[in-house]
Amino acid sequence: QVQLVESGGGLVQAGGSLRLSCAASGSIFSVNTMGWYRQAPGKQRELVASITSGGSTNYANSVKGRFTISRENAKNMMYLEMNSLKPEDTAVYYCSATMYVRNRYDLRDYWGQGTQVTVSS
């Protein structure tokens, strides 16, 4: 059984910062690419940032220069440092990971339950 759990969301004023964490646990053989997605009410889910097992990163244009994605492979942890937050960053943020479970032949996508981030004006 494999689980992804997000934490660190909350309410913050515009210009403030938050740090989100994602913990993967269970019978994991290895974790490949991980990423953060977000979804605001009435809008489609969008990719915020992703990071490969080797540390290569990719960011949405809207967050470049403000957000930083990172991971600790030995701990199966991923983080998102969010700085200079704007009201338009308000959304539910989801952790996603592509993982091999139990062996190197079963590759699947997994999702966390989401954590709410609200940025006030």
Side-chain angles (χ1 to χ4, degrees):
Q1 186 176 11
V2 175
Q3 292 184 337
L4 292 174
V5 180
E6 304 98 332
S7 62
L11 175 64
V12 65
Q13 290 187 325
S17 300
L18 284 174
R19 189 192 194 203
L20 305 183
S21 299
C22 173
S25 62
S27 301
I28 302 169
F29 183 82
S30 67
V31 181
N32 284 14
T33 300
M34 302 184 77
W36 288 98
Y37 291 75
R38 67 186 181 187
Q39 187 168 24
K43 297 183 179 180
Q44 294 188 108
R45 186 173 298 185
E46 64 175 347
L47 175 67
V48 177
S50 65
I51 183 168
T52 68
S53 59
S56 297
T57 59
N58 184 59
Y59 296 91
N61 288 333
S62 60
V63 306
K64 285 182 179 178
R66 300 189 297 120
F67 292 9
T68 302
I69 189 172
S70 62
R71 64 190 288 173
E72 294 182 87
N73 292 337
K75 298 180 179 180
N76 290 329
M77 294 287 294
M78 180 178 65
Y79 309 94
L80 185 67
E81 292 280 357
M82 304 186 293
N83 300 311
S84 301
L85 283 163
K86 305 174 181 179
E88 50 262 46
D89 294 318
T90 296
V92 177
Y93 284 70
Y94 296 91
C95 172
S96 179
T98 301
M99 298 185 285
Y100 288 101
V101 180
R102 296 188 182 278
N103 58 68
R104 70 175 186 270
Y105 307 108
D106 192 9
L107 183 64
R108 299 180 181 181
D109 294 330
Y110 295 85
W111 293 86
Q113 82 288 351
T115 185
Q116 177 71 46
V117 172
T118 303
V119 184
S120 63
S121 301

PDB file of all heavy atoms in Angstrom, residues 89-117:
ATOM      1  N   ASP A  89      -2.612  32.730  -6.454  1.00  0.00           N
ATOM      2  CA  ASP A  89      -2.030  31.452  -6.079  1.00  0.00           C
ATOM      3  C   ASP A  89      -2.990  30.618  -5.230  1.00  0.00           C
ATOM      4  O   ASP A  89      -2.709  29.453  -4.948  1.00  0.00           O
ATOM      5  CB  ASP A  89      -0.727  31.647  -5.303  1.00  0.00           C
ATOM      6  CG  ASP A  89       0.378  32.263  -6.143  1.00  0.00           C
ATOM      7  OD1 ASP A  89       0.527  31.863  -7.318  1.00  0.00           O
ATOM      8  OD2 ASP A  89       1.098  33.134  -5.627  1.00  0.00           O
ATOM      9  N   THR A  90      -4.090  31.205  -4.811  1.00  0.00           N
ATOM     10  CA  THR A  90      -5.071  30.506  -3.989  1.00  0.00           C
ATOM     11  C   THR A  90      -5.625  29.297  -4.734  1.00  0.00           C
ATOM     12  O   THR A  90      -6.134  29.419  -5.845  1.00  0.00           O
ATOM     13  CB  THR A  90      -6.217  31.441  -3.597  1.00  0.00           C
ATOM     14  OG1 THR A  90      -5.713  32.493  -2.768  1.00  0.00           O
ATOM     15  CG2 THR A  90      -7.291  30.687  -2.830  1.00  0.00           C
ATOM     16  N   ALA A  91      -5.513  28.126  -4.120  1.00  0.00           N
ATOM     17  CA  ALA A  91      -5.957  26.882  -4.747  1.00  0.00           C
ATOM     18  C   ALA A  91      -5.727  25.726  -3.783  1.00  0.00           C
ATOM     19  O   ALA A  91      -5.094  25.882  -2.737  1.00  0.00           O
ATOM     20  CB  ALA A  91      -5.190  26.625  -6.047  1.00  0.00           C
ATOM     21  N   VAL A  92      -6.246  24.568  -4.154  1.00  0.00           N
ATOM     22  CA  VAL A  92      -5.879  23.334  -3.478  1.00  0.00           C
ATOM     23  C   VAL A  92      -4.650  22.787  -4.187  1.00  0.00           C
ATOM     24  O   VAL A  92      -4.661  22.620  -5.408  1.00  0.00           O
ATOM     25  CB  VAL A  92      -7.008  22.295  -3.501  1.00  0.00           C
ATOM     26  CG1 VAL A  92      -6.547  20.990  -2.857  1.00  0.00           C
ATOM     27  CG2 VAL A  92      -8.237  22.829  -2.782  1.00  0.00           C
ATOM     28  N   TYR A  93      -3.606  22.516  -3.440  1.00  0.00           N
ATOM     29  CA  TYR A  93      -2.362  22.030  -4.001  1.00  0.00           C
ATOM     30  C   TYR A  93      -2.247  20.529  -3.775  1.00  0.00           C
ATOM     31  O   TYR A  93      -2.435  20.041  -2.662  1.00  0.00           O
ATOM     32  CB  TYR A  93      -1.166  22.753  -3.369  1.00  0.00           C
ATOM     33  CG  TYR A  93      -0.982  24.148  -3.903  1.00  0.00           C
ATOM     34  CD1 TYR A  93      -1.887  25.159  -3.585  1.00  0.00           C
ATOM     35  CD2 TYR A  93       0.090  24.463  -4.739  1.00  0.00           C
ATOM     36  CE1 TYR A  93      -1.742  26.438  -4.090  1.00  0.00           C
ATOM     37  CE2 TYR A  93       0.250  25.740  -5.247  1.00  0.00           C
ATOM     38  CZ  TYR A  93      -0.668  26.726  -4.922  1.00  0.00           C
ATOM     39  OH  TYR A  93      -0.511  27.995  -5.422  1.00  0.00           O
ATOM     40  N   TYR A  94      -1.926  19.808  -4.850  1.00  0.00           N
ATOM     41  CA  TYR A  94      -1.848  18.354  -4.812  1.00  0.00           C
ATOM     42  C   TYR A  94      -0.437  17.869  -5.104  1.00  0.00           C
ATOM     43  O   TYR A  94       0.227  18.372  -6.008  1.00  0.00           O
ATOM     44  CB  TYR A  94      -2.785  17.729  -5.840  1.00  0.00           C
ATOM     45  CG  TYR A  94      -4.252  17.998  -5.603  1.00  0.00           C
ATOM     46  CD1 TYR A  94      -4.872  19.104  -6.177  1.00  0.00           C
ATOM     47  CD2 TYR A  94      -5.015  17.142  -4.820  1.00  0.00           C
ATOM     48  CE1 TYR A  94      -6.215  19.351  -5.970  1.00  0.00           C
ATOM     49  CE2 TYR A  94      -6.359  17.383  -4.609  1.00  0.00           C
ATOM     50  CZ  TYR A  94      -6.956  18.494  -5.188  1.00  0.00           C
ATOM     51  OH  TYR A  94      -8.288  18.738  -4.983  1.00  0.00           O
ATOM     52  N   CYS A  95      -0.025  16.870  -4.366  1.00  0.00           N
ATOM     53  CA  CYS A  95       1.228  16.188  -4.609  1.00  0.00           C
ATOM     54  C   CYS A  95       0.983  15.011  -5.535  1.00  0.00           C
ATOM     55  O   CYS A  95       0.000  14.280  -5.375  1.00  0.00           O
ATOM     56  CB  CYS A  95       1.817  15.703  -3.280  1.00  0.00           C
ATOM     57  SG  CYS A  95       3.259  14.625  -3.424  1.00  0.00           S
ATOM     58  N   SER A  96       1.855  14.822  -6.506  1.00  0.00           N
ATOM     59  CA  SER A  96       1.759  13.700  -7.422  1.00  0.00           C
ATOM     60  C   SER A  96       3.120  13.043  -7.566  1.00  0.00           C
ATOM     61  O   SER A  96       4.149  13.713  -7.527  1.00  0.00           O
ATOM     62  CB  SER A  96       1.261  14.163  -8.790  1.00  0.00           C
ATOM     63  OG  SER A  96       1.174  13.081  -9.700  1.00  0.00           O
ATOM     64  N   ALA A  97       3.110  11.734  -7.748  1.00  0.00           N
ATOM     65  CA  ALA A  97       4.362  11.008  -7.920  1.00  0.00           C
ATOM     66  C   ALA A  97       4.162   9.800  -8.807  1.00  0.00           C
ATOM     67  O   ALA A  97       3.144   9.108  -8.708  1.00  0.00           O
ATOM     68  CB  ALA A  97       4.931  10.571  -6.571  1.00  0.00           C
ATOM     69  N   THR A  98       5.121   9.567  -9.673  1.00  0.00           N
ATOM     70  CA  THR A  98       5.168   8.347 -10.460  1.00  0.00           C
ATOM     71  C   THR A  98       6.132   7.404  -9.757  1.00  0.00           C
ATOM     72  O   THR A  98       7.303   7.740  -9.572  1.00  0.00           O
ATOM     73  CB  THR A  98       5.643   8.625 -11.891  1.00  0.00           C
ATOM     74  OG1 THR A  98       4.769   9.563 -12.516  1.00  0.00           O
ATOM     75  CG2 THR A  98       5.654   7.342 -12.710  1.00  0.00           C
ATOM     76  N   MET A  99       5.635   6.239  -9.370  1.00  0.00           N
ATOM     77  CA  MET A  99       6.430   5.342  -8.542  1.00  0.00           C
ATOM     78  C   MET A  99       6.346   3.897  -8.987  1.00  0.00           C
ATOM     79  O   MET A  99       5.326   3.451  -9.510  1.00  0.00           O
ATOM     80  CB  MET A  99       5.974   5.425  -7.076  1.00  0.00           C
ATOM     81  CG  MET A  99       6.139   6.788  -6.436  1.00  0.00           C
ATOM     82  SD  MET A  99       5.728   6.776  -4.676  1.00  0.00           S
ATOM     83  CE  MET A  99       3.930   6.707  -4.773  1.00  0.00           C
ATOM     84  N   TYR A 100       7.440   3.187  -8.767  1.00  0.00           N
ATOM     85  CA  TYR A 100       7.443   1.739  -8.868  1.00  0.00           C
ATOM     86  C   TYR A 100       7.078   1.203  -7.494  1.00  0.00           C
ATOM     87  O   TYR A 100       7.709   1.564  -6.492  1.00  0.00           O
ATOM     88  CB  TYR A 100       8.812   1.212  -9.275  1.00  0.00           C
ATOM     89  CG  TYR A 100       9.195   1.475 -10.713  1.00  0.00           C
ATOM     90  CD1 TYR A 100      10.061   2.507 -11.041  1.00  0.00           C
ATOM     91  CD2 TYR A 100       8.708   0.659 -11.730  1.00  0.00           C
ATOM     92  CE1 TYR A 100      10.423   2.733 -12.358  1.00  0.00           C
ATOM     93  CE2 TYR A 100       9.065   0.881 -13.047  1.00  0.00           C
ATOM     94  CZ  TYR A 100       9.924   1.922 -13.356  1.00  0.00           C
ATOM     95  OH  TYR A 100      10.282   2.144 -14.667  1.00  0.00           O
ATOM     96  N   VAL A 101       6.068   0.349  -7.437  1.00  0.00           N
ATOM     97  CA  VAL A 101       5.616  -0.214  -6.174  1.00  0.00           C
ATOM     98  C   VAL A 101       6.016  -1.682  -6.093  1.00  0.00           C
ATOM     99  O   VAL A 101       5.673  -2.465  -6.977  1.00  0.00           O
ATOM    100  CB  VAL A 101       4.097  -0.081  -6.023  1.00  0.00           C
ATOM    101  CG1 VAL A 101       3.645  -0.673  -4.699  1.00  0.00           C
ATOM    102  CG2 VAL A 101       3.692   1.387  -6.127  1.00  0.00           C
ATOM    103  N   ARG A 102       6.757  -2.027  -5.080  1.00  0.00           N
ATOM    104  CA  ARG A 102       7.204  -3.392  -4.776  1.00  0.00           C
ATOM    105  C   ARG A 102       8.294  -3.912  -5.709  1.00  0.00           C
ATOM    106  O   ARG A 102       9.161  -4.678  -5.272  1.00  0.00           O
ATOM    107  CB  ARG A 102       6.034  -4.377  -4.753  1.00  0.00           C
ATOM    108  CG  ARG A 102       5.026  -4.091  -3.666  1.00  0.00           C
ATOM    109  CD  ARG A 102       3.999  -5.190  -3.560  1.00  0.00           C
ATOM    110  NE  ARG A 102       3.010  -4.872  -2.538  1.00  0.00           N
ATOM    111  CZ  ARG A 102       3.182  -5.083  -1.244  1.00  0.00           C
ATOM    112  NH1 ARG A 102       4.313  -5.612  -0.798  1.00  0.00           N
ATOM    113  NH2 ARG A 102       2.230  -4.769  -0.392  1.00  0.00           N
ATOM    114  N   ASN A 103       8.258  -3.524  -6.985  1.00  0.00           N
ATOM    115  CA  ASN A 103       9.264  -3.959  -7.941  1.00  0.00           C
ATOM    116  C   ASN A 103       9.460  -2.889  -9.003  1.00  0.00           C
ATOM    117  O   ASN A 103       8.766  -1.881  -9.020  1.00  0.00           O
ATOM    118  CB  ASN A 103       8.882  -5.298  -8.578  1.00  0.00           C
ATOM    119  CG  ASN A 103       7.540  -5.235  -9.277  1.00  0.00           C
ATOM    120  OD1 ASN A 103       7.398  -4.553 -10.296  1.00  0.00           O
ATOM    121  ND2 ASN A 103       6.555  -5.937  -8.740  1.00  0.00           N
ATOM    122  N   ARG A 104      10.402  -3.105  -9.919  1.00  0.00           N
ATOM    123  CA  ARG A 104      10.717  -2.110 -10.940  1.00  0.00           C
ATOM    124  C   ARG A 104       9.917  -2.282 -12.218  1.00  0.00           C
ATOM    125  O   ARG A 104      10.205  -1.632 -13.227  1.00  0.00           O
ATOM    126  CB  ARG A 104      12.216  -2.122 -11.252  1.00  0.00           C
ATOM    127  CG  ARG A 104      12.713  -3.352 -11.994  1.00  0.00           C
ATOM    128  CD  ARG A 104      14.194  -3.171 -12.341  1.00  0.00           C
ATOM    129  NE  ARG A 104      14.709  -4.234 -13.180  1.00  0.00           N
ATOM    130  CZ  ARG A 104      15.258  -5.358 -12.725  1.00  0.00           C
ATOM    131  NH1 ARG A 104      15.372  -5.562 -11.416  1.00  0.00           N
ATOM    132  NH2 ARG A 104      15.705  -6.275 -13.580  1.00  0.00           N
ATOM    133  N   TYR A 105       8.909  -3.128 -12.215  1.00  0.00           N
ATOM    134  CA  TYR A 105       8.111  -3.391 -13.410  1.00  0.00           C
ATOM    135  C   TYR A 105       6.709  -2.788 -13.353  1.00  0.00           C
ATOM    136  O   TYR A 105       6.027  -2.735 -14.370  1.00  0.00           O
ATOM    137  CB  TYR A 105       7.995  -4.895 -13.641  1.00  0.00           C
ATOM    138  CG  TYR A 105       9.330  -5.600 -13.657  1.00  0.00           C
ATOM    139  CD1 TYR A 105       9.720  -6.425 -12.610  1.00  0.00           C
ATOM    140  CD2 TYR A 105      10.210  -5.425 -14.727  1.00  0.00           C
ATOM    141  CE1 TYR A 105      10.952  -7.059 -12.626  1.00  0.00           C
ATOM    142  CE2 TYR A 105      11.440  -6.054 -14.743  1.00  0.00           C
ATOM    143  CZ  TYR A 105      11.809  -6.870 -13.688  1.00  0.00           C
ATOM    144  OH  TYR A 105      13.032  -7.498 -13.702  1.00  0.00           O
ATOM    145  N   ASP A 106       6.280  -2.333 -12.177  1.00  0.00           N
ATOM    146  CA  ASP A 106       4.933  -1.803 -11.990  1.00  0.00           C
ATOM    147  C   ASP A 106       4.998  -0.302 -11.722  1.00  0.00           C
ATOM    148  O   ASP A 106       5.103   0.128 -10.573  1.00  0.00           O
ATOM    149  CB  ASP A 106       4.241  -2.540 -10.846  1.00  0.00           C
ATOM    150  CG  ASP A 106       2.754  -2.257 -10.783  1.00  0.00           C
ATOM    151  OD1 ASP A 106       2.222  -1.628 -11.712  1.00  0.00           O
ATOM    152  OD2 ASP A 106       2.115  -2.679  -9.793  1.00  0.00           O
ATOM    153  N   LEU A 107       4.926   0.501 -12.783  1.00  0.00           N
ATOM    154  CA  LEU A 107       5.026   1.950 -12.680  1.00  0.00           C
ATOM    155  C   LEU A 107       3.642   2.582 -12.749  1.00  0.00           C
ATOM    156  O   LEU A 107       2.909   2.369 -13.708  1.00  0.00           O
ATOM    157  CB  LEU A 107       5.902   2.502 -13.807  1.00  0.00           C
ATOM    158  CG  LEU A 107       6.177   4.005 -13.817  1.00  0.00           C
ATOM    159  CD1 LEU A 107       6.967   4.412 -12.583  1.00  0.00           C
ATOM    160  CD2 LEU A 107       6.927   4.388 -15.079  1.00  0.00           C
ATOM    161  N   ARG A 108       3.289   3.368 -11.736  1.00  0.00           N
ATOM    162  CA  ARG A 108       1.970   3.984 -11.676  1.00  0.00           C
ATOM    163  C   ARG A 108       2.027   5.399 -11.111  1.00  0.00           C
ATOM    164  O   ARG A 108       2.984   5.765 -10.431  1.00  0.00           O
ATOM    165  CB  ARG A 108       1.031   3.139 -10.807  1.00  0.00           C
ATOM    166  CG  ARG A 108       0.805   1.734 -11.329  1.00  0.00           C
ATOM    167  CD  ARG A 108      -0.128   0.960 -10.429  1.00  0.00           C
ATOM    168  NE  ARG A 108      -0.327  -0.400 -10.902  1.00  0.00           N
ATOM    169  CZ  ARG A 108      -1.104  -1.283 -10.306  1.00  0.00           C
ATOM    170  NH1 ARG A 108      -1.767  -0.949  -9.208  1.00  0.00           N
ATOM    171  NH2 ARG A 108      -1.211  -2.503 -10.814  1.00  0.00           N
ATOM    172  N   ASP A 109       0.978   6.172 -11.404  1.00  0.00           N
ATOM    173  CA  ASP A 109       0.842   7.522 -10.879  1.00  0.00           C
ATOM    174  C   ASP A 109       0.017   7.511  -9.595  1.00  0.00           C
ATOM    175  O   ASP A 109      -0.998   6.824  -9.501  1.00  0.00           O
ATOM    176  CB  ASP A 109       0.161   8.443 -11.889  1.00  0.00           C
ATOM    177  CG  ASP A 109       0.998   8.677 -13.123  1.00  0.00           C
ATOM    178  OD1 ASP A 109       2.241   8.643 -13.021  1.00  0.00           O
ATOM    179  OD2 ASP A 109       0.410   8.899 -14.199  1.00  0.00           O
ATOM    180  N   TYR A 110       0.435   8.318  -8.618  1.00  0.00           N
ATOM    181  CA  TYR A 110      -0.267   8.425  -7.348  1.00  0.00           C
ATOM    182  C   TYR A 110      -0.511   9.887  -7.012  1.00  0.00           C
ATOM    183  O   TYR A 110       0.249  10.766  -7.417  1.00  0.00           O
ATOM    184  CB  TYR A 110       0.537   7.758  -6.225  1.00  0.00           C
ATOM    185  CG  TYR A 110       0.693   6.272  -6.403  1.00  0.00           C
ATOM    186  CD1 TYR A 110       1.714   5.748  -7.184  1.00  0.00           C
ATOM    187  CD2 TYR A 110      -0.199   5.387  -5.804  1.00  0.00           C
ATOM    188  CE1 TYR A 110       1.853   4.377  -7.364  1.00  0.00           C
ATOM    189  CE2 TYR A 110      -0.068   4.018  -5.977  1.00  0.00           C
ATOM    190  CZ  TYR A 110       0.963   3.530  -6.758  1.00  0.00           C
ATOM    191  OH  TYR A 110       1.084   2.164  -6.932  1.00  0.00           O
ATOM    192  N   TRP A 111      -1.577  10.137  -6.249  1.00  0.00           N
ATOM    193  CA  TRP A 111      -1.965  11.493  -5.873  1.00  0.00           C
ATOM    194  C   TRP A 111      -2.248  11.591  -4.388  1.00  0.00           C
ATOM    195  O   TRP A 111      -2.761  10.658  -3.778  1.00  0.00           O
ATOM    196  CB  TRP A 111      -3.221  11.927  -6.635  1.00  0.00           C
ATOM    197  CG  TRP A 111      -2.996  12.095  -8.101  1.00  0.00           C
ATOM    198  CD1 TRP A 111      -3.059  11.128  -9.059  1.00  0.00           C
ATOM    199  CD2 TRP A 111      -2.673  13.311  -8.778  1.00  0.00           C
ATOM    200  NE1 TRP A 111      -2.795  11.665 -10.296  1.00  0.00           N
ATOM    201  CE2 TRP A 111      -2.553  12.996 -10.148  1.00  0.00           C
ATOM    202  CE3 TRP A 111      -2.478  14.625  -8.362  1.00  0.00           C
ATOM    203  CZ2 TRP A 111      -2.246  13.970 -11.102  1.00  0.00           C
ATOM    204  CZ3 TRP A 111      -2.169  15.583  -9.307  1.00  0.00           C
ATOM    205  CH2 TRP A 111      -2.058  15.242 -10.660  1.00  0.00           C
ATOM    206  N   GLY A 112      -1.924  12.745  -3.811  1.00  0.00           N
ATOM    207  CA  GLY A 112      -2.270  13.020  -2.435  1.00  0.00           C
ATOM    208  C   GLY A 112      -3.671  13.580  -2.335  1.00  0.00           C
ATOM    209  O   GLY A 112      -4.368  13.765  -3.337  1.00  0.00           O
ATOM    210  N   GLN A 113      -4.102  13.867  -1.113  1.00  0.00           N
ATOM    211  CA  GLN A 113      -5.466  14.339  -0.870  1.00  0.00           C
ATOM    212  C   GLN A 113      -5.631  15.835  -1.098  1.00  0.00           C
ATOM    213  O   GLN A 113      -6.755  16.324  -1.207  1.00  0.00           O
ATOM    214  CB  GLN A 113      -5.891  13.989   0.562  1.00  0.00           C
ATOM    215  CG  GLN A 113      -5.409  14.946   1.649  1.00  0.00           C
ATOM    216  CD  GLN A 113      -3.919  14.858   1.945  1.00  0.00           C
ATOM    217  OE1 GLN A 113      -3.222  13.968   1.470  1.00  0.00           O
ATOM    218  NE2 GLN A 113      -3.427  15.797   2.747  1.00  0.00           N
ATOM    219  N   GLY A 114      -4.540  16.569  -1.149  1.00  0.00           N
ATOM    220  CA  GLY A 114      -4.576  18.005  -1.370  1.00  0.00           C
ATOM    221  C   GLY A 114      -4.509  18.801  -0.084  1.00  0.00           C
ATOM    222  O   GLY A 114      -4.943  18.349   0.969  1.00  0.00           O
ATOM    223  N   THR A 115      -3.948  20.003  -0.173  1.00  0.00           N
ATOM    224  CA  THR A 115      -3.895  20.923   0.955  1.00  0.00           C
ATOM    225  C   THR A 115      -4.255  22.322   0.464  1.00  0.00           C
ATOM    226  O   THR A 115      -3.804  22.755  -0.595  1.00  0.00           O
ATOM    227  CB  THR A 115      -2.503  20.909   1.629  1.00  0.00           C
ATOM    228  OG1 THR A 115      -2.517  21.737   2.795  1.00  0.00           O
ATOM    229  CG2 THR A 115      -1.411  21.396   0.683  1.00  0.00           C
ATOM    230  N   GLN A 116      -5.083  23.025   1.223  1.00  0.00           N
ATOM    231  CA  GLN A 116      -5.593  24.328   0.815  1.00  0.00           C
ATOM    232  C   GLN A 116      -4.589  25.436   1.090  1.00  0.00           C
ATOM    233  O   GLN A 116      -4.048  25.545   2.193  1.00  0.00           O
ATOM    234  CB  GLN A 116      -6.904  24.643   1.551  1.00  0.00           C
ATOM    235  CG  GLN A 116      -7.490  26.021   1.236  1.00  0.00           C
ATOM    236  CD  GLN A 116      -8.052  26.113  -0.161  1.00  0.00           C
ATOM    237  OE1 GLN A 116      -8.771  25.217  -0.616  1.00  0.00           O
ATOM    238  NE2 GLN A 116      -7.723  27.189  -0.872  1.00  0.00           N
ATOM    239  N   VAL A 117      -4.355  26.264   0.085  1.00  0.00           N
ATOM    240  CA  VAL A 117      -3.543  27.466   0.221  1.00  0.00           C
ATOM    241  C   VAL A 117      -4.419  28.657  -0.128  1.00  0.00           C
ATOM    242  O   VAL A 117      -4.973  28.723  -1.226  1.00  0.00           O
ATOM    243  CB  VAL A 117      -2.310  27.440  -0.697  1.00  0.00           C
ATOM    244  CG1 VAL A 117      -1.595  28.794  -0.673  1.00  0.00           C
ATOM    245  CG2 VAL A 117      -1.363  26.332  -0.282  1.00  0.00           C
TER     246      VAL A 117
END
